[in-house]
Amino acid sequence: MQLRDYQQQAVDAAIAHFRHSSESAVIVLPTGAGKSLVLAELARLANGRVLILTHVKELVAQNAEKVALLSQAGTVFAAGLKQKDSSGKTVIASVQSAARNLTQFSQPFSLVIIDECHRISLSEDSQYQLLFNHLLQQNSTLKLLGLTATPYRLGTGWVYQSHYHGKVGSVEQATFTRCIFELPLRPLINKGYLAKPVLLDGLAAQYDFSHLVPTEGGDYSEQQVDSILGKTGRATKLIVGQLNQLAHNKQGVLIFAASVRHANEIVTLLEGLNQQVALLTATTPGNERDQLISEFKAQRLKFLVNVAVLTTGFDAPHVDLIAILRPTASVSLFQQMVGRGLRSAPNKTHCLIIDYAANGYDLYYPEVGSPRPTSKAVPVQVPCPQCQFANIFWGLVDNDGDIIEHYGRRCQGLAEHAPTTVPNQCSYRFRARICPDCGGENDIAARVCQQCQSQLIDPDKRLKEVLNQKHHHLFRCQHMLLTDVQGRLQVQYVDIDGNPFYRQFALQTAAQRRALFALFILPHQRAPGLKPKNYLTALEVVADQDKFRMPQLILLKKTNKGWQHLDSIFDYNGRYQSNASIT
């Protein structure tokens, strides 16, 4: 069997990497790109024994099939498939079964391949880590390779430390050292390997989840979601009615519900419209689940409703309508849901994807590496002024697509380095906390200076010390307004009680314009790192009012001439944010 060009490129990248390095590696391929063939070919070419791991029995069976297609059949070790044989040159196993039977994996392996590797937890007592530690005891030079369509884990970020395109991943919380190959979604669609996704927002109705707050785990709680859904029963009825109409010329409809209660409501509405529908949840018995999936794949059921159980390991190529009725803060999870409809099939040219939860993700953009800060944020490209690396950060744009604001802190590019040395991250910081001892730049949340190791002053401690002195006042901003007053720029700040504080800047001379840049433009810039305009008049600054951010706090001092500005404090989150917090 001949591999596709990109599949062969992925195989070649892995071989080239492991020839000169033992560092763990990741290959990123979109859902439906044929990761099983890539890992099967690597298993065929490997000199030593190979262990292929994944987390669901469906993927174990699929990977075993591809291994047998390209070379001699491997052995399967998965309780869900009623097979436990670890004797083969290639062993395809579920991580749950392998971790519970470590003594069956005491013969050394040379390569471990993890499918859906974004699921690996960094916890030392997780099943993956327990198994890895055991395998390393049998072979200290064990090679580790991950494959995934979504190389990002909510809460910890990228699953790799660095990328071959020259960017930094998650340096401290990554399972793998390096991403060695990545293929975007668009080329596979253009070449006809995948069905074209047609992504639409809710047409008949849409849920408003904009006020949801992610939990510590990074996503939204079912209790929060159910509370909102309980007030939007009419929306659900309208949505199901529309899906019923759209399904007339569709082969298979996959619906992602927000909760079990929500899913049951959807099923009841569809049954009321005389539709054949099945429901899958985490509590659906295994035999029943297998039977319902088989019925759906055989197209004896048109609708399949599920609650977070069909995001990976589910392969039904005929699906040509996906309805997302649940919110998620994870772009990875969103991509996994959409991926269920991208496989090609007879009489299928595209897959209609309707996002009734207004998640707002763009399928063709790469993941940014951090949770979306606001519902309106989109990926924006921000070049680094120091190394020119094209960073992708969350940001806000205007109607013309120009960047108004971005949320990046540090350049994600890798500094130039010799092939034999460890790559270092570019030192440029878009937003920084300055050390008062050495002047070094640190992350805005840092507590210790990375340059001199001195303790950085707690902003609340500093504010307390200053405010204990006479004639100082902490101005808590609620609004900021720029106006042109007879050719001078007037900045009006308004506090929580409606009191104003004014600053004025002249722009008549070059020195005055430099002062404006240093005292206002630079610290208030909402998109640091991007070269601002060379403002010549106050009217030009006022016209760009939306490009400047308001400080949370302003430190003032009483003088004979009135209140004097001492410092503007941005990126603040502490006890002095409100009057109530310091009483």
Side-chain angles (χ1 to χ4, degrees):
M1 181 176 183
Q2 186 72 31
L3 267 62
R4 294 173 180 169
D5 54 356
Y6 64 86
Q7 293 170 336
Q8 187 61 54
Q9 290 165 12
V11 170
D12 293 343
I15 294 173
H17 172 77
F18 287 125
R19 273 179 181 162
H20 70 267
S21 175
S22 293
E23 294 178 337
S24 55
V26 177
I27 290 174
V28 180
L29 291 171
T31 299
K35 292 190 292 294
S36 294
L37 286 171
V38 172
L39 60 85
E41 177 68 359
L42 287 168
R44 183 182 73 85
L45 296 173
N47 292 325
R49 299 181 70 222
V50 178
L51 174 61
I52 299 173
L53 292 172
T54 191
H55 65 293
V56 291
K57 66 180 183 181
E58 290 84 1
L59 284 176
V60 173
Q62 179 180 311
N63 291 337
E65 177 187 353
K66 296 301 188 293
V67 168
L69 188 65
L70 294 185
S71 63
Q72 67 182 63
T75 61
V76 173
F77 199 97
L81 297 176
K82 297 181 173 57
Q83 299 181 61
K84 286 189 176 182
D85 185 352
S86 62
S87 64
K89 174 185 178 292
T90 299
V91 181
I92 307 94
S94 72
V95 63
Q96 299 91 335
S97 296
R100 292 173 186 147
N101 297 272
L102 293 179
T103 57
Q104 300 295 311
F105 292 83
S106 295
Q107 295 299 314
F109 289 89
S110 64
L111 174 65
V112 175
I113 304 175
I114 308 96
D115 197 3
E116 304 292 349
C117 68
H118 61 277
R119 299 184 62 88
I120 298 176
S121 169
L122 293 175
S123 173
E124 292 183 0
D125 58 357
S126 71
Q127 291 177 322
Y128 278 108
Q129 299 298 343
L130 290 173
L131 180 57
F132 294 160
N133 290 334
H134 175 76
L135 295 173
L136 282 168
Q137 291 175 12
Q138 321 307 317
N139 178 13
S140 61
T141 62
L142 180 71
K143 305 292 193 299
L144 194 66
L145 176 68
L147 285 88
T148 181
T150 52
Y152 174 75
R153 186 174 173 88
L154 197 61
T156 57
W158 301 107
V159 300
Y160 52 78
Q161 294 178 3
S162 65
H163 192 287
Y164 72 105
H165 281 164
K167 70 177 180 179
V168 172
S170 299
V171 177
E172 297 180 354
Q173 293 184 298
T175 304
F176 299 89
T177 302
R178 189 162 175 80
C179 176
I180 59 173
F181 184 84
E182 181 170 14
L183 183 70
L185 181 64
R186 199 182 299 273
L188 296 181
I189 295 170
N190 292 340
K191 291 183 178 182
Y193 292 138
L194 295 179
K196 181 180 180 180
V198 178
L199 179 61
L200 302 173
D201 283 337
L203 303 175
Q206 198 169 57
Y207 300 117
D208 183 7
F209 294 118
S210 59
H211 298 296
L212 286 175
V213 178
T215 64
E216 289 186 2
D219 218 334
Y220 308 120
S221 73
E222 186 171 312
Q223 184 178 5
Q224 276 186 307
V225 174
D226 266 340
S227 176
I228 292 175
L229 289 172
K231 305 168 187 175
T232 56
R234 185 172 180 273
T236 303
K237 187 173 182 179
L238 288 171
I239 289 168
V240 171
Q242 182 182 70
L243 291 175
N244 178 60
Q245 293 179 339
L246 293 172
H248 287 310
N249 61 350
K250 296 296 181 183
Q251 300 180 60
V253 183
L254 185 59
I255 300 175
F256 290 93
S259 67
V260 174
R261 183 196 303 175
H262 187 217
N264 281 313
E265 180 185 4
I266 294 168
V267 169
T268 299
L269 289 169
L270 283 170
E271 289 177 339
L273 295 170
N274 299 317
Q275 291 288 357
Q276 295 294 313
V277 56
L279 171 62
L280 294 179
T281 72
T283 60
T284 304
N287 292 338
E288 180 182 346
R289 170 177 166 164
D290 293 345
Q291 178 61 33
L292 292 175
I293 289 177
S294 295
E295 292 286 311
F296 181 71
K297 288 183 176 181
Q299 301 188 37
R300 288 188 286 271
L301 291 172
K302 179 167 281 191
F303 289 87
L304 188 56
V305 182
N306 84 102
V307 184
V309 294
L310 297 179
T311 53
T312 59
F314 174 73
D315 183 9
H318 76 286
V319 170
D320 51 4
L321 172 56
I322 289 180
I324 300 174
L325 279 68
R326 58 156 295 174
T328 179
S330 169
V331 65
S332 293
L333 179 57
F334 186 84
Q335 290 174 333
Q336 292 284 0
M337 289 188 286
V338 170
R340 300 311 103 198
L342 298 188
R343 296 182 187 276
S344 58
N347 303 316
K348 175 182 174 182
T349 58
H350 68 278
C351 179
L352 179 61
I353 300 150
I354 308 181
D355 182 9
Y356 290 103
N359 289 292
Y361 293 111
D362 189 319
L363 295 179
Y364 297 106
Y365 267 114
E367 297 168 21
V368 173
S370 60
R372 183 191 297 242
T374 72
S375 60
K376 295 181 179 179
V378 297
V380 297
Q381 188 177 95
V382 183
C384 172
Q386 182 170 299
C387 73
Q388 286 72 56
F389 179 76
N391 292 277
I392 301 294
F393 295 137
W394 289 117
L396 302 176
V397 298
D398 60 20
N399 293 333
D400 296 326
D402 294 328
I403 299 174
I404 298 173
E405 180 174 8
H406 73 75
Y407 301 95
R409 294 185 180 183
R410 183 176 178 181
C411 175
Q412 301 299 294
L414 295 175
E416 291 187 9
H417 62 284
T420 56
T421 61
V422 178
N424 292 316
Q425 186 173 358
C426 173
S427 61
Y428 184 82
R429 294 184 184 276
F430 293 91
R431 292 185 173 90
R433 188 173 179 186
I434 307 300
C435 174
D437 293 335
C438 71
E441 293 186 346
N442 298 273
D443 186 82
I444 58 175
R447 296 293 181 182
V448 177
C449 178
Q450 291 185 345
Q451 282 75 27
C452 68
Q453 304 305 309
S454 65
Q455 193 76 22
L456 294 176
I457 299 175
D458 187 307
D460 284 346
K461 181 180 178 181
R462 173 174 173 264
L463 287 172
K464 183 178 180 180
E465 291 174 351
V466 173
L467 294 174
N468 282 338
Q469 302 174 25
K470 291 182 180 181
H471 311 306
H472 285 79
H473 173 65
L474 195 60
F475 190 96
R476 298 170 180 84
C477 294
Q478 292 296 298
H479 302 286
M480 183 179 77
L481 178 66
L482 308 185
T483 53
D484 177 4
V485 180
Q486 297 180 352
R488 297 169 68 90
L489 174 68
Q490 178 175 277
V491 184
Q492 178 186 8
Y493 305 97
V494 181
D495 72 5
I496 56 178
D497 296 318
N499 300 312
F501 171 69
Y502 298 94
R503 299 172 73 190
Q504 286 199 353
F505 301 91
L507 291 87
Q508 293 178 339
T509 68
Q512 290 171 339
R513 290 192 289 272
R514 287 195 296 269
L516 170 71
F517 178 82
L519 298 176
F520 179 79
I521 302 295
L522 191 60
H524 287 73
Q525 193 178 8
R526 296 178 69 183
L530 295 180
K531 187 176 180 179
K533 293 180 183 177
N534 183 22
Y535 295 104
L536 299 177
T537 68
L539 279 175
E540 291 177 348
V541 184
V542 172
D544 281 350
Q545 187 156 191
D546 60 351
K547 294 185 178 179
F548 301 106
R549 59 177 180 158
M550 177 189 72
Q552 285 101 325
L553 304 173
I554 301 176
L555 194 58
L556 304 176
K557 182 179 180 180
K558 187 76 170 182
T559 68
N560 293 334
K561 296 182 179 180
W563 289 107
Q564 176 188 354
H565 176 274
L566 291 183
D567 193 12
S568 293
I569 301 173
F570 301 89
D571 303 309
Y572 175 80
N573 184 18
R575 63 191 295 263
Y576 287 94
Q577 190 65 55
S578 66
N579 279 324
S581 65
I582 58 175
T583 56

